[in-house]
Each structure stands twice: as C-alpha cells, then as structure tokens.
Amino acid sequence: LLGTSITISSNHWMTAWTGLEINTLAIIPLISKSHHPRAVEAAIKYFLVQAAASAMVLFSSMTNAWQTGQWDITQLTHPTSCLLLTTAIAMKLGLVPFHFWFPEVLQGSSLLTSLLLSTLMKLPPITILFLTSHSLNPHLLALMAISSAALGGWMGLNQTQTRKILAFSSISHLGWMTIIILYNPQLTLLTFYVYSITTAAIFLTLNTTKTLNLSTLMTSWTKTPTLNATLMLTLLSLAGLPPLAGFMPKWFIIQELTKQEMTPAALAMALLSLLGLFFYLRLAYYSTITLPPNPANHMKQWSINSPTSPTIATLASLSTLLLPLSPMVLASI
C-alpha cells in the first residue's frame, strides 16, 4: 500500500521509481511464504522481471533528464526514453510480448497473493502509463494491446488451472486498458476499477471453496450452491456480457475507438473478446451446470466450514449490478 501510494502520488521520476521498488520487495515474501519450490521459483521469476523493468524505468527517466533537464513524469519528451518506458511498463504489467512471467508467477502463488498481483500491483504501472500516455507511440501501444487481447484469449482456452486462466484473462483486459489510454485515459481507469472489483470477487470465491483447478470446480457446487451461482454471474461479467457491469467499459471503449476512426481496432478487440468469453463460459459451465464424475476413491468435501463473507457479497453485487450507472459514469468521464 505504501509503495502504491508513493508511486501514484509522485510527479518526480525518482519517487515513482522508489514506490515501484518498495512494491516489488514487499510482495516477494507473500509469493514465497508457502516455501514450496514452485512458490520460490515464482518469487525469483517475479523479482528478476520486476528488477529489469525498474532498471529500465530508471534508465529511461535518466536519459530524458540528461537530454531535456526535466525530472517531471509528465514531461517525458525524448523518443528513446518514450520507447524504453513503454517497454518497462509492458514488462511490469505483463503486456505481450513481455507476458511470459505472469501466468507462471500466479500459478506459483496462493489465491490471495494472486489477487494482489492481478489488481493492486497493476495500479502503479498503469498510473505511470496514464501520466505519460500523451508522449508514447500510438502505433506501438495499439499493436501491443491487440496482441495482448489475442494472446490472452488464445492461451486461456486450453488451461485447466484457475489461476492460469485468470492470469490470461488479466493479460487480455490489459490489452483493453492499453488501447484506449491515448484517446481517453479515464476509460482506462474505469476498465481497471471494474476489472479489479470483478477479479477480486472471483479470487475470493475460489479461495472460499479452495478451488485451484477445473476438476475441483466441478465438485464445488455441492458445497456452496449460492456462491457458485454468483461465481457464474461474476465470470460472465468479466467476459463483458450485458446486462452485467463488465459490459460497461468494453462498450465505452468500442464507442470511443469508433469516434477516433479506429474502427478496425474496435472490430479486432470485439472479436478477440469472444475467445475470452469461451473460457469464462467454460468456467461458468463447470462451476454450476456439470455433474462431476463419481469415482469410488475420490474424497468429496460436502460442506465448507467458513460462511460466505460480506466482502464477497459486496464485490459480487458490484461486479454484476453496476451497468445501470453507465449514463452517470459516461457523464463524469
């Protein structure tokens, strides 16, 4: 929280960089706390990628300061610095082609740490992207965004681990956030907020039912039927189906891209979201509709000890019922 607060409130490159470093060092113990070899591997991968990205942020800002004498984040004008910063932020966020670390790190972390990595840890890099968006290369950003939406959709199709599916879902959503940041940065933040609320609801639900893969998800309906029905709605909201809240940012982004005469990009993003819809539907189908196979040696957990928390109830309600507020949101941005 401290690292995020420092980065999002700073206007000098050194304080922003310090916040990013605090963030990286703070999350590493959370990733590796289970002492499982997979968790330690995830922590090392995360550290190496984030250290490289942080060094690149520092290099970019120093090059810019050397050429222009400016340390202000919004005054990034040197072309090489802009290119370096785009690369660094893409590495920090997990945008294509720097996405390889993200699914692996999420798979090695616990569900709650994965939730932090998918939501809170994305906020500082998105803030830096928000502040510098006017100086970045629009063609490069559009290419990375469409590639992220495509890869996030394709790679998620064949996964059986829920954390990896949500990792590819995150990469796909980052594509939506990146494509619109040059034209309407407020829409990027709106997409991030809606995505964070919905993902938090899904991760907390999976954590309550202790679901790590699809076969466990098939048996979880017997434990908490109501929670699973809510999970189905939340997943469909993440896919962007109307009349759920997840439809709102995608609708606004496609509308804005069309206004900016980027109809081919809007069409590509809309078609690529169908890939995501397929694997969200598959998750929803597994969680509520499928009857599990019944091998004799399979231990079933028929009930869970902890009651459903008010946090999940609030987040799930927000992630499914916010669409009627669209006119008010549109007026405010």
Side-chain angles (χ1 to χ4, degrees):
L1 284 171
L2 176 68
T4 303
S5 307
I6 289 173
T7 303
I8 64 178
S9 58
S10 62
N11 57 4
H12 190 286
W13 275 114
M14 290 308 288
T15 46
W17 176 80
T18 309
L20 289 170
E21 285 298 295
I22 292 171
N23 246 359
T24 302
L25 294 173
I27 198 81
I28 285 170
L30 289 176
I31 298 173
S32 59
K33 76 174 191 292
S34 68
H35 300 299
H36 190 275
R38 197 71 185 271
V40 176
E41 181 191 336
I44 292 169
K45 280 178 182 170
Y46 184 78
F47 173 73
L48 291 174
V49 171
Q50 297 297 316
S54 288
M56 215 173 278
V57 168
L58 205 53
F59 184 41
S60 158
S61 55
M62 283 173 67
T63 310
N64 188 62
W66 191 19
Q67 298 291 336
T68 64
Q70 279 288 352
W71 278 103
D72 194 315
I73 293 182
T74 53
Q75 304 297 320
L76 190 78
T77 49
H78 192 253
T80 314
S81 297
C82 293
L83 199 60
L84 280 167
L85 184 82
T86 308
T87 309
I89 296 299
M91 282 174 80
K92 283 223 164 267
L93 287 171
L95 273 171
V96 173
F98 307 103
H99 63 281
F100 297 101
W101 63 273
F102 190 56
E104 297 297 323
V105 169
L106 247 64
Q107 184 57 30
S109 313
S110 68
L111 282 163
L112 292 178
T113 311
S114 300
L115 167 60
L116 280 179
L117 285 168
S118 302
T119 54
L120 189 64
M121 300 300 287
K122 292 281 190 331
L123 185 56
I126 283 178
T127 311
I128 292 178
L129 203 59
F130 182 90
L131 292 171
T132 56
S133 59
H134 55 276
S135 15
L136 302 179
N137 184 335
H139 302 296
L140 181 61
L141 282 180
L143 180 66
M144 288 165 85
I146 293 171
S147 308
S148 297
L151 187 124
W154 277 116
M155 296 290 285
L157 294 179
N158 205 23
Q159 301 297 331
T160 56
Q161 301 289 329
T162 50
R163 283 167 295 184
K164 276 199 173 174
I165 290 175
L166 287 164
F168 287 115
S169 144
S170 177
I171 292 169
S172 166
H173 277 83
L174 283 168
W176 282 89
M177 293 174 213
T178 311
I179 200 159
I180 200 66
I181 197 156
L182 283 176
Y183 310 104
N184 194 338
Q186 281 78 15
L187 271 183
T188 296
L189 290 182
L190 171 71
T191 311
F192 178 72
Y193 297 146
V194 173
Y195 163 75
S196 297
I197 290 168
T198 315
T199 306
I202 291 170
F203 268 118
L204 291 171
T205 305
L206 294 177
N207 188 55
T208 305
T209 55
K210 300 289 179 282
T211 305
L212 295 177
N213 52 33
L214 293 183
S215 56
T216 324
L217 194 62
M218 284 165 67
T219 58
S220 69
W221 67 272
T222 52
K223 308 176 203 172
T224 48
T226 318
L227 192 59
N228 265 34
T230 316
L231 175 65
M232 181 182 74
L233 286 174
T234 318
L235 283 163
L236 295 179
S237 175
L238 196 59
L241 275 188
L244 303 168
F247 175 61
M248 179 168 56
K250 293 188 176 180
W251 173 25
F252 290 166
I253 287 173
I254 288 175
Q255 190 180 352
E256 185 67 29
L257 285 174
T258 314
K259 278 184 196 168
Q260 300 289 342
E261 295 182 353
M262 290 180 66
T263 316
L267 179 66
M269 294 300 283
L271 288 174
L272 289 168
S273 68
L274 290 175
L275 292 168
L277 176 61
F278 178 82
F279 63 77
Y280 294 126
L281 272 174
R282 192 172 65 146
L283 274 173
Y285 180 79
Y286 271 102
S287 66
T288 48
I289 302 167
T290 316
L291 281 172
N294 292 312
N297 60 356
H298 185 62
M299 283 291 288
K300 280 196 181 58
Q301 184 185 349
W302 288 103
S303 62
I304 57 169
N305 300 325
S306 57
T308 304
S309 71
T311 315
I312 298 179
T314 310
L315 288 169
S317 305
L318 285 173
S319 61
T320 49
L321 303 173
L322 281 181
L323 191 66
L325 298 180
S326 302
M328 187 179 81
V329 174
L330 198 55
S332 64
I333 59 175

